[in-house]
């Protein structure tokens, strides 16, 4: 049915009484950018998508057959709000460290990490509450918390992550309800928080009794360097960890999780129930059978191998082609790196010229809670092929050279 | 890992700063009841579950294979917040009537109907807003709207549904933001709203410019009688219709939808984005391929045949065994019927005795927004086998006879 045939015979309501909060939601800043980036002929580094050609289709298909064979009607029926026990048990094991033991009861399955962020907002935020974030920070977290009328206090980052020394002043000033960080290969900057900064963050959080949201979608995708201790290992019950299968199996199955102490896990379960009863039973069993067949760890190795190469190709091309004044991060993992332009150059303007030249990445402004920086780009280095990475970065370099000449 | 091994080495946060609204959520009233009902030896009419033995496993398995074969990586990747186009197009066709045409753009896919209810609350309700409901009404809608700090004005029902003549006074008094109804085979009462009442409801809604939420999970499950015109056919853009595959395919895949005018559909899309980005791509394709293989309508016939028999067995057994003073509805479809006890008998007390006698159904109190009626039971007539229905109703009848003697 084409749109033109749509008609409502009776337009009874002339003015819709939407809620104040819904009316206040601004159009997603990067949605228009993603539309433009999707035009044909454009090499697209803008999206947040993992590489579809690496999805483990064959093994997921086998897992799907196993779900029908082994679980039958149970996989198609309503299930617990917490999530199916089998999967929570596996996630508890994978989340545990020698210092920090999780059980199935301290894991809550969510419809991707985005739902975890929404439920965190639901569980913790009163209107006007402050959240302390890195600047820049993950846009999806801002959208989730914005609905709960959060305000933000931000702490700048350097190559070691949030400059925690600067956090205490903000904490004193704003009394934030939560600290939100993406400590590993941050979206958007690609930066990883150092061990010292992690310890300092946990220390200050403890002193001021502020829970830390440890959003960790990329933690298993390390291509080089040595991991720092996880925040949850250092921070005990103060740390609420968010994980997802979106980047290591498939985002379309929408399975993420929260690992937290029992009191927090129970509250997340309570606030989830009225939002969707539970996440899809079928996809939970799908992931469970995929993991039980022993494919996850080898698949992660395969993704890491491919993404490592793409990262290296992109960084090498940037190093060779970019004007010296343009800086970029060299992430040890994840999906994204971050370009910083010299003072006085507007990323929004460069974006338009880059699109004309056939390449797109996301101007960094919407990743700043106060929209106060227009000097950066987020670049996805995992989604395009190596050839397209070289060609796309050359196009971008050419635009930047013209811009800076 | 057993629960006993759970330990958080550092209990840093001593008092969790949960939000006021999360703290205010009361434990789901029927959850404890469902726990008790699940004890072995108890014939359970309490749950809201469809019959698992009727799930179309074989055809869903074939559809799953087709998803991998035809859609491959696309079914595993991120997708539109609105939902996949193919499925929305089918739902637009299925939702359209001669008076009311829908297009793919006026359908929003949701994670089951529960998410649709949550998104309706998100899109429309400011704290303190009134929602006008039937009394009794669907508990899941109350949980969803409660989070948005809704208040309720209620209109009693008779065998023709909401007594719409009594609605106008409530509307004048409370100025409700929304009217929420389950017009077909209502959960919990099993009652269907008559054509005259539907017309009257649409008329009063139009006069006072109040959108009607038409929650319709059971509409396709009619076992006898003739359908009344749908609210959306009568009510034009004032009616926001909620549908789900939970009762006609499987609840575990968590796929529901909202059919509304373009302005409302766009708002629901906007408020959904920050809650979970989108519902699972894979399950949307699964439903799509299942429907495209031509199985849905014949499967609905198969379910109807089985449920019709179970309903008849239950109603006949009640008619034969129940004391005359105990009244019950005779639903023309859906999953539930409603028992009303004589004045002075407490359903909560009868519940305890029924459990001791080995049968459970849900006391009706939580289905009343003001908890002001303890004289009724909701009974699921679709989930148990015919033999268990006979035995369970006999047990209940015996308790009722003792109670009334």
């Amino acid at each position: 049915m084409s749109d033109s045939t749509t008609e409502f015979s009776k337009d009874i309501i002339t003015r819709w009484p939407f809620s104040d909060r819904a009316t206040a939601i601004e159009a997603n800043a990067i949605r228009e950018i993603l539309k433009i980036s999707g035009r044909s002929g454009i090499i697209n580094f803008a999206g947040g998508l993992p590489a579809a050609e690496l999805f483990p289709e064959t093994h997921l298909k086998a897992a799907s057959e196993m779900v029908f064979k082994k679980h039958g009607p149970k996989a198609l029926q309503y299930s617990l709000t917490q999530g199916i026990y089998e999967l929570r048990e596996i996630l508890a094991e994978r989340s545990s460290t020698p210092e920090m033991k999780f059980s199935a009861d301290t894991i809550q399955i969510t419809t991707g990490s985005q739902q975890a962020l929404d439920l965190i907002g639901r569980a913790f935020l009163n209107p006007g509450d402050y959240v302390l974030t890195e600047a820049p920070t993950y846009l999806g977290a801002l959208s989730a918390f914005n609905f709960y009328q959060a305000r933000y206090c931000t702490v700048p980052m350097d190559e070691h992550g949030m400059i925690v020394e600067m956090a205490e002043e903000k904490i004193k000033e704003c009394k934030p309800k939560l600290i939100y960080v993406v400590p590993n290969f941050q979206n958007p900057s690609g930066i990883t928080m150092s061990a010292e900064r992690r310890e300092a963050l946990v220390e200050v959080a403890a002193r001021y009794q502020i829970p830390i949201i440890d959003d960790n979608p990329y933690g298993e995708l390390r291509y080089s360097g040595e991991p720092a201790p996880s925040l949850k290992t250092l921070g005990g019950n103060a740390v609420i960890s968010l994980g997802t299968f979106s980047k290591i199996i498939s985002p379309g199955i929408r399975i993420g999780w929260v690992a937290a102490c029992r009191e927090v896990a129970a509250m997340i379960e309570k606030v989830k129930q009225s939002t969707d009863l539970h996440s899809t039973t079928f996809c939970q069993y799908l992931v469970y059978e995929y993991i039980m067949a022993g494919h996850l760890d080898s698949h992660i190795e395969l993704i890491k191998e491919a993404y490592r190469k793409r990262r290296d190709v992109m960084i090498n091309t940037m190093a060779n082609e970019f004007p010296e004044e343009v800086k970029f991060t060299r992430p040890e993992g994840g999906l994204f790196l971050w370009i910083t332009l010299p003072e006085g150059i507007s990323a929004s303007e460069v974006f338009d010229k880059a699109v004309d030249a056939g390449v797109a990445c996301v101007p960094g402004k919407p990743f700043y809670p106060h929209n106060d920086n227009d000097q950066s780009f987020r670049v996805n280095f995992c989604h395009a092929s190596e050839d397209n990475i070289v060609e796309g970065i050359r196009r971008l370099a050419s635009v930047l050279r013209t811009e800076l000449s």
Side-chain angles (χ1 to χ4, degrees), chain A:
Chain A
M1 183 178 305
S2 90
D3 286 3
S4 60
T5 68
T6 310
E7 46 175 307
F8 286 78
S9 53
K10 298 168 193 165
D11 277 338
I12 289 178
I13 304 287
T14 52
R15 193 167 165 278
W16 287 95
F18 294 126
S19 69
D20 298 340
R21 276 177 301 180
T23 308
I25 298 172
E26 287 169 33
N28 185 321
I30 72 167
R31 183 175 276 207
E32 279 307 302
I33 284 163
L34 293 180
K35 262 185 209 162
I36 295 167
S37 321
R39 283 186 206 153
S40 79
I42 291 182
I43 295 176
N44 187 356
F45 304 133
L49 279 60
E53 73 275 15
L54 298 176
F55 291 151
E57 273 184 73
T58 310
H59 288 150
L60 280 174
K61 184 163 180 286
S64 165
E65 282 161 24
M66 196 56 85
V67 172
F68 282 105
K69 193 172 160 190
K70 274 178 58 184
H71 308 285
K74 205 168 55 162
L76 300 170
Q77 187 58 288
Y78 286 114
S79 56
L80 295 178
T81 299
Q82 281 187 294
I84 65 169
Y85 182 80
E86 296 93 323
L87 183 59
R88 284 185 289 121
E89 198 178 35
I90 285 182
L91 287 170
E93 276 175 39
R94 286 185 78 95
S95 303
S96 292
T97 64
E99 299 83 11
M100 194 72 171
K101 302 275 178 231
F102 290 90
S103 72
D105 265 3
T106 59
I107 302 287
Q108 170 65 53
I109 303 291
T110 59
T111 305
S113 261
Q114 186 64 39
Q115 189 186 43
L117 292 166
D118 178 54
L119 298 177
I120 295 285
R122 204 169 251 255
F124 286 99
L125 298 177
N126 290 325
D129 278 351
Y130 277 94
V131 179
L132 185 135
T133 73
E134 298 151 328
T137 187
Y138 175 52
L139 185 64
L142 297 177
S143 323
F145 300 157
N146 283 346
F147 183 79
Y148 300 98
Q149 300 170 286
R151 292 185 289 180
Y152 302 95
C153 48
T154 63
V155 180
M157 303 174 79
D158 62 17
E159 70 270 31
H160 306 297
M162 178 192 276
I163 305 174
V164 180
E165 304 88 285
M166 295 170 72
E168 186 158 0
E169 193 189 337
K170 299 279 183 178
I171 290 173
K172 280 185 185 162
E173 186 188 325
C174 301
K175 307 199 188 334
K177 197 73 167 289
L178 298 172
I179 296 170
Y180 171 79
V181 287
V182 186
N184 298 311
F185 328 123
Q186 194 218 32
N187 181 354
S189 71
I191 292 170
T192 296
M193 191 181 283
S194 68
E196 293 70 26
R197 291 275 174 81
R198 289 170 194 237
E199 283 166 19
L201 183 66
V202 161
E203 188 278 324
V204 74
R207 199 140 38 82
Y208 288 91
Q209 289 283 299
I210 309 171
I212 299 172
I213 311 302
D214 163 25
D215 190 2
N216 190 24
Y218 320 107
E220 304 217 46
L221 298 178
R222 172 174 285 279
Y223 319 132
S224 56
E226 287 304 317
S230 72
L231 279 176
K232 65 177 178 249
T233 293
L234 299 168
N237 84 337
V239 177
I240 301 167
S241 293
L242 276 45
T244 175
F245 291 111
S246 289
K247 306 306 185 293
I248 54 176
I249 299 182
S250 140
I253 56 173
R254 311 300 301 125
I255 302 290
W257 66 92
V258 179
C261 68
R262 203 173 293 259
E263 196 173 351
V264 171
M267 179 55 92
I268 301 286
E269 178 194 1
K270 195 168 86 161
V271 296
K272 177 173 165 74
Q273 189 169 26
S274 71
T275 70
D276 63 2
L277 296 182
H278 60 83
S279 299
T280 154
T281 321
F282 185 84
C283 288
Q284 291 183 64
Y285 277 109
L286 186 66
V287 169
Y288 170 71
E289 285 300 334
Y290 175 81
I291 296 175
M292 289 306 281
H295 299 307
L296 182 56
D297 291 322
S298 58
H299 182 64
I300 290 173
E301 288 308 312
L302 180 148
I303 300 174
K304 281 164 66 172
E305 193 53 35
Y307 286 180
R308 180 188 293 117
K309 281 188 199 159
R310 292 177 192 191
R311 177 200 64 170
D312 291 344
V313 167
M314 185 173 281
I315 285 180
N316 290 337
T317 314
M318 285 181 170
N320 290 332
E321 306 268 343
F322 273 9
E324 215 176 307
E325 311 93 291
V326 176
K327 307 295 177 196
F328 53 91
T329 58
R330 287 165 166 81
E332 296 186 331
L335 266 67
F336 304 104
L337 63 75
W338 189 244
I339 296 176
T340 304
L341 304 177
E343 297 258 350
I345 309 282
S346 149
S348 311
E349 283 171 32
V350 172
F351 173 77
D352 293 333
K353 290 171 189 165
V355 166
D356 290 342
V359 58
C361 32
V362 185
K365 206 169 171 181
F367 297 93
Y368 288 89
H370 303 122
N371 286 301
D372 52 359
N373 182 314
D374 185 26
Q375 239 183 288
S376 43
F377 284 108
R378 185 191 76 175
V379 187
N380 180 329
F381 59 74
C382 292
H383 188 252
S385 67
E386 293 178 32
D387 286 352
N388 276 341
I389 288 173
V390 172
E391 176 57 26
I393 293 304
R394 283 191 178 146
R395 291 178 189 176
L396 184 59
S398 157
V399 171
L400 289 170
R401 278 194 303 265
T402 311
E403 205 62 13
L404 294 176
S405 67

